[in-house]
Amino acid sequence: MFPAPLPDLDGLDFETVKALLIAKHNESIEQHKQLRSNSQEIEHLKLVIEKYRRMIFGRKSEKLTRELEQLELRLEELETTQAADQAAEAAAEAEQPRSPQSESKPRTSRPRRKPLPEDLPREVIMHMPEHDSCPCCGGQLRQFGEDVSEQLERIPATYKVIRHVRPKFACSGCDRVVEAPAPSRPIAYGLAGPNLLAHVLVSKFGDHQPLYRQSEIFAREGIDLDRSTLAGWVGAASELVAPLVDEIRKHVLAGSKVHGDDTPVPVLAPGNGRTKTGRLWTYVRDDRPAGLSTAPAVWFAYSEDRKGEHPRRHLKDYTGALQADAYSGLHHLYGDGRIYEVACWAHARRKFHDIHVTHRSPITTEALNRIGALYGIEEQVRGKPPDLRCSVRQAQSKPILDDLRQWMEKMLRSLSAKSDTAAAIRYALSHWRALTRYVDDGLLEIDNSAAERALRAVSIGRKNYLFFGADSGGERAASFYTLIGTAKLCGLDPSFYLRTVLAQIADHPINRIGELLPWNLTANLQSEPAA
């Protein structure tokens, strides 16, 4: 389509020319709008085409898979939270007196389970009444039926169903029904035995396998356990072990030295499908390097952000040394002298190392060599009594530190204030008292490696499961990271420790919960995995 020719402008009056110019201007504006709209539509179409191209070829499902995983994890956390609430309600109901008949009946509100595969091997355990005769009148008992319940249990490389059979007897004199009490389970009316439940928990929080992936693995092994069922087990188990986690927290904060650190964890924000940044805090008590026999333990806590109010709340009852990095949110803890700061030489050394890797210089080389000499002395005194450690540090480490400070101050005057090396030196000098406090106390450590090691599992898991589905998921993760991490520190296989605890904790008196702590279990537990 060709544009219309211009009229003879010489024969037009002023008003006609003015109207023509206005019309042409408006036409230009419309054309510009149309061009801009077309450009936006083109860009949109390019994105849509690229999206569908990825769906068809090669890396076709990256975005769809990510969105699906977000929905799966969000649903997993909601179902787990629901199960945790139900477990808490069940615990409250358990305190009320109930009849034997009501104890053996499952809740009608629970969804109908799929039957367990018939080809699984069955192990039948008979539970006979304690009395051979009627406990009321002494009459003879005759069996007229039995209650049968099944429990799915896991053993390495195979599964079996444990069938609990409780024969029913009726008194011939008074018609009293006599039956053995129903055996307890880790989860009330739950299908999972302690071995299977421990396997799910360690797979999720120790091996970093989300529940929907575990469900797929179970399906490959011929067991139909959907994600919602597994989520219910995790939620109920978190309520079950809560008193044990609290005992570990008390033990960690009962010492005079604790290692502290934190790490970011992505958390799915409800409603918009985006992630926010939560925080996992770790506090470690480990006096073994100082030759003490106190049981090591680690306590994890979750928070929705990194505000300083969280460590203030965590450590409100703690008194002693806090070995941590120089995070500004911790500074308010050191004001009243109840908690004093012990800094980390590994953190200070890392600043020089990062510079040394990119552009080596005589200054960074010298700094690393001097700090390395301090670590060489620590190798000699690791595991020795605190008094010996202190005396060796005073005799050997203190002169090195004094020379190091003088050397750093001299180098700082020769460097540009804006250089990275100067910044590394200023960091060390500004925290010098906290960095050198370990020399005066043989119980303290040269660095905060104990806390960094505890967070290593979180870092590995963060790469695998991508994010927590909700804040409640972060809190549950902190609980099981506590149990698994403490078991490892005590030399126990976490899977074996959890199944031992889960087999006993439902019936264990709450005032004796300390008996189930990793360091209080008998020594033969450590030999069982090898056996």
Side-chain angles (χ1 to χ4, degrees):
M1 180 178 180
F2 295 98
L6 285 173
D8 184 7
L9 298 179
D10 294 335
L12 299 177
D13 58 22
F14 175 76
E15 292 298 329
T16 304
V17 173
K18 179 179 178 181
L20 180 63
L21 290 175
I22 292 175
K24 290 294 182 181
H25 177 71
N26 291 337
E27 183 181 348
S28 176
I29 291 177
E30 291 300 322
Q31 290 176 346
H32 179 72
K33 289 181 178 179
Q34 185 64 38
L35 288 173
R36 185 172 60 181
S37 176
N38 290 343
S39 177
Q40 292 174 346
E41 185 176 0
I42 288 172
E43 292 301 318
H44 173 69
L45 288 175
K46 286 182 178 179
L47 291 175
V48 172
I49 291 170
E50 180 61 27
K51 174 182 177 181
Y52 282 99
R53 183 176 289 127
R54 287 197 304 269
M55 293 175 65
I56 297 173
F57 304 105
R59 297 170 292 177
K60 58 183 179 180
S61 59
E62 284 183 14
K63 187 174 184 298
L64 294 178
T65 300
R66 171 101 181 186
E67 292 175 354
L68 182 60
E69 287 180 345
Q70 288 182 343
L71 294 175
E72 292 276 7
L73 285 170
R74 176 62 179 161
L75 183 58
E76 171 183 317
E77 296 296 347
L78 289 175
E79 291 172 335
T80 306
T81 300
Q82 183 185 47
D85 294 338
Q86 292 175 347
E89 293 177 3
E93 293 175 1
E95 297 178 0
Q96 303 298 326
R98 303 177 63 187
S99 64
Q101 290 79 6
S102 65
E103 291 178 357
S104 63
K105 295 180 180 179
R107 298 180 182 179
T108 57
S109 61
R110 291 183 173 270
R112 183 179 180 85
R113 295 196 193 102
K114 297 179 181 178
L116 295 171
E118 289 296 329
D119 58 347
L120 287 181
R122 255 66 176 180
E123 176 182 343
V124 178
I125 300 177
M126 299 291 293
H127 302 273
M128 301 298 292
E130 295 180 358
H131 306 282
D132 296 331
S133 58
C134 178
C136 290
C137 67
Q140 182 179 0
L141 299 177
R142 57 178 177 80
Q143 182 175 351
F144 69 96
E146 61 185 18
D147 280 342
V148 179
S149 62
E150 292 189 336
Q151 182 180 33
L152 184 64
E153 183 57 287
R154 182 181 187 272
I155 59 177
T158 188
Y159 296 87
K160 69 176 180 180
V161 176
I162 298 177
R163 175 171 290 179
H164 298 275
V165 179
R166 296 180 294 130
K168 293 182 177 181
F169 297 88
C171 175
S172 57
C174 65
D175 293 332
R176 161 88 183 253
V177 175
V178 179
E179 183 182 21
S184 64
R185 304 183 180 213
I187 301 172
Y189 311 113
L191 190 66
N195 287 12
L196 178 60
L197 186 55
H199 171 74
V200 171
L201 295 173
V202 173
S203 295
K204 179 174 174 61
F205 299 104
D207 300 329
H208 323 295
Q209 289 288 341
L211 297 184
Y212 72 90
R213 293 180 187 169
Q214 292 192 51
S215 178
E216 295 171 353
I217 294 172
F218 282 122
R220 290 199 300 269
E221 297 175 345
I223 305 297
D224 188 4
L225 294 173
D226 58 33
R227 184 209 56 257
S228 62
T229 298
L230 301 178
W233 294 353
V234 173
S238 67
E239 288 293 321
L240 196 62
V241 301
L244 198 57
V245 174
D246 191 56
E247 287 297 312
I248 293 177
R249 177 191 65 83
K250 294 176 183 177
H251 173 78
V252 169
L253 301 182
S256 59
K257 178 201 69 176
V258 67
H259 295 268
D261 204 353
D262 66 285
T263 189
V265 287
V267 182
L268 191 62
N272 57 15
R274 299 177 180 269
T275 57
K276 61 180 182 178
T277 301
R279 217 76 189 179
L280 271 176
W281 306 79
T282 186
Y283 301 95
V284 181
R285 180 181 182 182
D286 190 354
D287 297 327
R288 292 175 299 176
L292 302 184
S293 59
T294 308
V298 55
W299 173 55
F300 283 87
Y302 170 81
S303 66
E304 63 275 9
D305 51 46
R306 205 193 184 194
K307 294 180 181 178
E309 64 190 52
H310 302 300
R312 183 191 299 118
R313 184 180 70 255
H314 300 157
L315 302 175
K316 60 183 178 65
D317 298 325
Y318 173 70
T319 300
L322 175 59
Q323 297 216 236
D325 60 19
Y327 167 49
S328 60
L330 300 176
H331 290 172
H332 63 276
L333 297 173
Y334 310 131
D336 58 2
R338 180 175 57 87
I339 299 175
Y340 58 93
E341 179 185 12
V342 183
C344 173
W345 267 110
H347 198 76
R349 180 189 181 276
R350 195 172 298 131
K351 295 183 178 298
F352 290 103
H353 180 267
D354 292 343
I355 301 170
H356 190 72
V357 170
T358 55
H359 43 85
R360 181 177 306 183
S361 70
I363 295 179
T364 58
T365 302
E366 181 68 14
L368 292 175
N369 289 338
R370 288 174 180 255
I371 297 174
L374 295 173
Y375 274 89
I377 297 171
E378 292 305 302
E379 289 290 336
Q380 302 174 21
V381 298
R382 183 170 289 111
K384 305 296 182 182
D387 292 344
L388 176 60
R389 283 157 57 98
C390 184
S391 62
V392 172
R393 289 169 175 174
Q394 288 288 328
Q396 301 182 29
S397 301
K398 193 173 186 304
I400 296 176
L401 287 167
D402 293 339
D403 291 342
L404 178 58
R405 180 172 187 174
Q406 295 176 8
W407 176 80
M408 284 186 172
E409 291 172 343
K410 179 181 178 181
M411 293 299 103
L412 188 60
R413 291 191 292 268
S414 65
L415 293 169
S416 169
K418 296 182 180 180
S419 72
D420 293 334
T421 304
I425 293 176
R426 281 196 299 270
Y427 173 86
L429 293 177
S430 62
H431 299 90
W432 193 258
R433 180 67 188 99
L435 282 169
T436 59
R437 188 168 268 134
Y438 81 98
V439 175
D440 302 320
D441 188 343
L443 184 63
L444 304 178
E445 300 302 322
I446 191 174
D447 58 30
N448 197 34
S449 295
E452 294 185 357
R453 286 193 298 269
L455 287 176
R456 194 169 297 157
V458 179
S459 300
I460 296 173
R462 187 170 51 208
K463 297 176 182 178
N464 201 3
Y465 53 67
L466 303 180
F467 45 79
F468 295 130
D471 287 330
S472 57
E475 294 168 357
R476 271 187 295 275
S479 294
F480 289 111
Y481 281 143
T482 296
L483 295 177
I484 292 173
T486 302
K488 288 181 178 179
L489 286 176
C490 293
L492 290 174
D493 169 34
S495 180
F496 181 68
Y497 171 66
L498 279 181
R499 65 177 181 257
T500 302
V501 167
L502 292 170
Q504 303 178 32
I505 194 169
D507 296 328
H508 203 82
I510 190 65
N511 60 346
R512 291 165 44 200
I513 194 68
E515 296 175 358
L516 299 181
L517 293 169
W519 55 89
N520 286 337
L521 294 180
T522 53
N524 64 336
L525 293 182
Q526 301 186 35
S527 62
E528 191 272 351

